[in-house]
Amino acid sequence: MSDAGRDDETVPDVDQLLDRAGFDPETSVLTRRQAEVLALRERGVRQSTIADFLGTSRANVSSIEASARANVEKARETVTFVDALTAPVRVEVPAGSDLYDVPKQVYDACDEAGVKVNQTAPDLMKIVSDAAGDAVEGREIKEQLFVGVTSDGRVRVRRHADGV
């Protein structure tokens, strides 16, 4: 996010922003300070303005923001892991497979488990490719993948090293 902006920038009411978003420090992976910084940054408030508002340095705000974003990513990864672990549909896609073969494997496993996946074949290939990162090159699966489908049809993709 750019730190460009006006010098007379005003800071929105942080308490109201956090209340509206349902922030609960007792159940969140974020500290209150991290949540405050993220809430303000997501509304385009410059780090220097946040630093003045919080009575700290811009470098400290940058550090708080980086830690908050890392915590959010870890939380997302944890949810993906648990979804994959508990998914009623788990498809192992071996290295060397063709990405175009993955939708049929997933659809067949879903049919067998009685789970509906609401993704077209192209959408499913995109989800797998995006989630797998460099484990997919063109149409080739370079590393073993695990594709899970939750009971509500969400697709989760894990690389072998992280797989379940």
Side-chain angles (χ1 to χ4, degrees), residues 21-95:
F23 177 72
D24 179 0
E26 297 298 317
T27 59
S28 179
V29 297
L30 299 177
T31 66
R32 179 166 180 89
R33 182 61 53 107
Q34 289 173 336
E36 290 170 346
V37 168
L38 278 185
L40 294 172
R41 292 293 285 150
E42 290 301 317
R43 275 144 193 87
V45 179
R46 295 178 298 145
Q47 287 181 343
S48 57
T49 301
I50 296 170
D52 290 344
F53 173 73
L54 296 176
T56 189
S57 68
R58 194 211 56 82
N60 189 42
V61 170
S62 178
S63 176
I64 292 168
E65 181 179 359
S67 294
R69 293 193 188 281
N71 286 349
V72 168
E73 189 53 39
K74 284 180 184 177
R76 283 187 180 128
E77 175 58 24
T78 300
V79 169
T80 299
F81 168 74
V82 171
D83 280 351
L85 189 64
T86 61
V89 174
R90 292 180 230 167
V91 176
E92 192 175 312
V93 182

Side-chain angles (χ1 to χ4, degrees), residues 130-149:
D130 289 350
D134 62 1
V136 174
E137 227 175 72
R139 288 177 49 171
E140 184 182 356
I141 309 289
K142 296 294 220 178
E143 294 177 31
Q144 184 179 26
L145 301 175
F146 295 92
V147 179
V149 182

